[in-house]
Amino acid sequence: MCIRDRYDPAAMMQGGEAGLSEYKNTYRFSKETYENYYTYKASLISAGCAISAIDAMYAKVKGVERAFCVNRPSGHHAGKSSIGGFCFLNNAAIAARYAQSKYAVKQVAIIDWDVHHGNGTQDIVNEDGSILFVSLHRHDKGLFFPSTLLYHILESGAAEEVGVGEGEGLKVNIPWDVPEGPAAEGKIIDMDYVQAFKEIVIPVVKEFAPELIIVSAGFDAMRGDPLGKISLSPWIFHWMTRSLMEINPRVMVTLEGGYNLKMLTKGVDSCVSALLGVAREMPKEVAEQKATKEGAEAVRRSRDVLKKYWKCLQ
């Protein structure tokens, strides 16, 4: 999150070091993350939105099984004792812990499809045997944000990061390695996500059998996003949401990244339409796609790492 008159995430990523920033009455935590007087309150409201969604699903509103939180700041880069990537409090992890403590939910799956790895969420739940964490993200062999070059404490989302202790095997990373710059566009497409869901995400979530599914829904993997720079269409977010609902209809979605406002609107609309049960046909342009070489390799590598933990992948 950045509090400033004109929101330009691409420019923010070129910022300076931590300390007092050039923007009046703000403090820079890292090159992209600022705070001012209102940040903490805004972060509490954002996390409270996720908590309120859990309350609505479990207690307050009869018949509510699904919810979409239109909340910012986003949260998936906020770890146990760290912030970054516009994130201050981890909304998805807070919602998961709240559901477990308040409503005795035993097993929760957090699915993160933001283009950036949910490193903060992984940091929080890495040793937890009651939470399955799945992240599909651009990785570029550890050079894409948030990489280990930027965050020396938090992991970067390689396929080999599977959790530790009781959480071993429950941390599922599907990292896309694509060329830097304009060459990245078109390298990862809808059919790569379809393949990843069909071969890894859906069978693993089914085997885990969560009582609640939380989605960290970033829309910065859509074509035209100034930070993600890969090429998903709005339709894929409808399909992924419906696929998760078919496993368990109790799905709560919390907003993460998305920096092209026009495409963000389309992605959110596609996701919400699925939550409402509105059908959408696969566009012809998607039906004609084949998974890319880079996408197929990422899925193969993740399956090879994970198959010793999951019967469905053996």
Side-chain angles (χ1 to χ4, degrees):
M1 178 184 182
C2 174
I3 306 294
R4 55 186 289 188
D5 293 335
R6 295 187 179 180
Y7 183 62
D8 183 356
M12 288 156 51
M13 296 296 286
Q14 304 302 317
E17 300 301 321
L20 292 175
S21 82
E22 65 272 35
Y23 302 109
K24 186 176 179 181
N25 298 323
T26 67
Y27 179 85
R28 183 196 295 272
F29 287 100
S30 59
K31 71 176 185 176
E32 80 294 329
T33 306
Y34 301 75
E35 68 138 16
N36 71 3
Y37 178 80
Y38 302 99
T39 303
Y40 181 60
K41 183 177 181 179
S43 300
L44 290 177
I45 292 171
S46 184
C49 179
I51 288 171
S52 295
I54 296 297
D55 281 336
M57 293 167 66
Y58 280 91
K60 293 184 177 179
V61 183
K62 185 177 180 180
V64 171
E65 289 186 310
R66 297 175 292 280
F68 189 103
C69 301
V70 185
N71 55 338
R72 288 283 174 87
S74 51
H76 73 152
H77 295 308
K80 289 183 288 190
S81 59
S82 60
I83 64 172
F86 319 142
C87 301
F88 298 89
L89 298 175
N90 196 303
N91 305 318
I94 288 170
R97 296 286 196 220
Y98 180 73
Q100 290 179 319
S101 62
K102 181 72 178 288
Y103 298 107
V105 174
K106 291 186 175 125
Q107 296 200 148
V108 180
I110 300 176
I111 313 300
D112 189 330
W113 64 50
D114 189 280
V115 77
H116 303 98
H117 179 237
N119 59 325
T121 309
Q122 181 169 298
D123 177 50
I124 292 169
V125 306
N126 209 34
E127 300 178 45
D128 194 321
S130 68
I131 297 179
L132 169 67
F133 175 64
V134 179
S135 181
L136 305 93
H137 50 273
R138 185 172 168 185
H139 186 247
D140 298 4
K141 299 182 179 178
L143 296 178
F144 193 72
F145 185 92
S147 71
T148 51
L149 298 178
L150 297 171
Y151 288 85
H152 297 285
I153 298 175
L154 301 183
E155 296 174 314
S156 67
E160 292 74 20
E161 295 166 16
V162 296
V164 297
E166 293 182 0
E168 185 175 355
L170 293 176
K171 310 304 167 275
V172 175
N173 284 294
I174 304 172
W176 314 118
D177 292 332
V178 298
E180 184 56 68
E185 297 185 18
K187 289 296 183 181
I188 299 297
I189 56 179
D190 288 24
M191 277 302 168
D192 293 315
Y193 278 71
V194 170
Q195 181 182 13
F197 257 64
K198 287 184 175 180
E199 293 194 19
I200 298 177
V201 180
I202 293 172
V204 164
V205 175
K206 282 183 177 179
E207 186 173 331
F208 182 69
E211 298 169 53
L212 168 67
I213 297 174
I214 295 174
V215 179
S216 279
F219 296 93
D220 42 5
M222 296 179 69
R223 55 177 171 254
D225 189 273
L227 298 188
K229 297 181 180 178
I230 57 176
S231 302
L232 301 188
S233 77
W235 170 84
I236 191 61
F237 300 100
H238 182 279
W239 184 85
M240 290 190 292
T241 304
R242 285 293 300 271
S243 297
L244 295 173
M245 288 166 52
E246 289 172 1
I247 300 171
N248 186 338
R250 213 176 270 277
V251 175
M252 191 275 274
V253 182
T254 182
L255 190 60
E256 300 288 356
Y259 308 100
N260 177 323
L261 294 183
K262 181 178 179 181
M263 297 307 291
L264 172 63
T265 301
K266 292 181 178 180
V268 169
D269 174 73
S270 186
C271 180
V272 171
S273 70
L275 293 172
L276 293 173
V278 178
R280 289 198 176 180
E281 294 295 324
M282 179 186 291
K284 182 179 178 182
E285 64 173 284
V286 177
E288 294 174 349
Q289 290 179 358
K290 293 183 179 179
T292 66
K293 178 180 69 175
E294 292 81 2
E297 172 58 24
V299 171
R300 183 201 62 77
R301 187 170 65 250
S302 294
R303 278 184 63 100
D304 285 348
V305 170
L306 294 163
K307 63 185 179 182
K308 70 177 181 178
Y309 301 106
W310 299 96
K311 293 180 181 178
C312 60
L313 302 182
Q314 294 171 6

